[in-house]
Amino acid sequence: MSGENKTENEYLEMCNDFSKRMKVKNEKIQELMKIIFVCYGLVRRATETNEHALMQECRSFISEFFTEEYGWESD
């Protein structure tokens, strides 16, 4: 009986751990979706108005985000 409880507890711990990791991943995905939508809006506006400064702003925004969130350095 105690062996079954131990296994059940292990499964519950694994389930809780998995849930926590998925929550963190979903939060990161939501953050990336926000970045994508903001950049899409900037690119769309820049192409409609031929304002290349908006494209540079978008590039800077993405570079900053990746550097802060993932430690990636831009060129």
Side-chain angles (χ1 to χ4, degrees):
M1 245 338 173
S2 66
E4 288 179 19
N5 286 338
K6 182 178 179 185
T7 303
E8 186 176 327
N9 287 336
E10 288 172 349
Y11 286 140
L12 287 172
E13 286 178 30
M14 287 172 44
C15 180
N16 289 335
D17 179 58
F18 180 78
S19 293
K20 288 176 188 175
R21 286 187 282 138
M22 288 300 103
K23 182 178 178 185
V24 169
K25 287 184 185 283
N26 285 338
E27 289 171 357
K28 288 198 178 261
I29 289 169
Q30 287 176 342
E31 185 69 26
L32 288 171
M33 286 177 63
K34 288 177 191 175
I35 299 297
I36 290 168
F37 286 129
V38 167
C39 289
Y40 172 76
L42 285 172
V43 169
R44 184 173 177 193
R45 185 67 179 155
T47 55
E48 289 173 352
T49 61
N50 288 326
E51 292 184 43
H52 299 288
L54 287 175
M55 296 290 260
Q56 181 58 37
E57 190 66 30
C58 184
R59 182 184 180 282
S60 297
F61 183 69
I62 292 170
S63 293
E64 237 178 76
F65 174 78
F66 281 126
T67 299
E68 289 174 8
E69 291 295 316
Y70 299 100
W72 297 348
E73 295 294 324
S74 61
D75 305 358

